[in-house]
Amino acid sequence: MQRIGVGLVRGQEPPRLLTEGGRIRIRTAGLADEPFMRMVETEEDNARWVGHWPLPWRIACFGDPDFLQCIIERHDGAPVGILIFSGMTHPEEKLQL
């Protein structure tokens, strides 16, 4: 892993806002979000429904254009959830959430 800035790895853009509504906003995730993402994936209520990505895999996916990892947060910046998409390079063929 080669860090190039706070919470960034080579091939990853800084987090950017994707959309926002009245109560939440969705932005791209960064390496600094990994502890929260791991917590969400491993919480007892979530673990049976979602997979858990080991840190090396998540870092690799940050630089992969086929994956889009997002943070759902309140307008005060508090994270409340995650979204992970795969198949972004060919969404007409497959797109997984």
Side-chain angles (χ1 to χ4, degrees):
M1 166 179 61
Q2 183 178 7
R3 292 186 183 201
I4 57 172
V6 177
L8 296 177
V9 294
R10 185 162 302 288
Q12 180 193 7
E13 299 175 8
R16 69 183 191 284
L17 183 65
L18 298 175
T19 190
E20 64 182 311
R23 297 174 58 191
I24 63 168
R25 59 185 171 209
I26 300 173
R27 64 169 175 80
T28 58
L31 185 58
D33 297 305
E34 195 280 331
F36 174 74
M37 298 174 85
R38 182 174 4 102
M39 182 199 70
V40 169
E41 291 172 343
T42 58
E43 275 184 348
E44 186 177 341
D45 289 344
N46 299 333
R48 63 182 172 182
W49 306 108
V50 299
H52 170 63
W53 287 10
L55 182 58
W57 176 255
R58 186 172 313 281
I59 290 170
C61 290
F62 278 133
D64 187 336
D66 201 45
F67 289 88
L68 176 60
Q69 301 179 71
C70 303
I71 300 294
I72 304 165
E73 59 187 16
R74 297 186 318 221
H75 279 281
D76 65 4
V80 295
I82 63 174
L83 290 169
I84 300 173
F85 297 93
S86 69
M88 296 297 292
T89 54
H90 299 287
E92 67 282 352
E93 295 174 18
K94 65 175 173 101
L95 183 62
Q96 298 177 2
L97 173 60

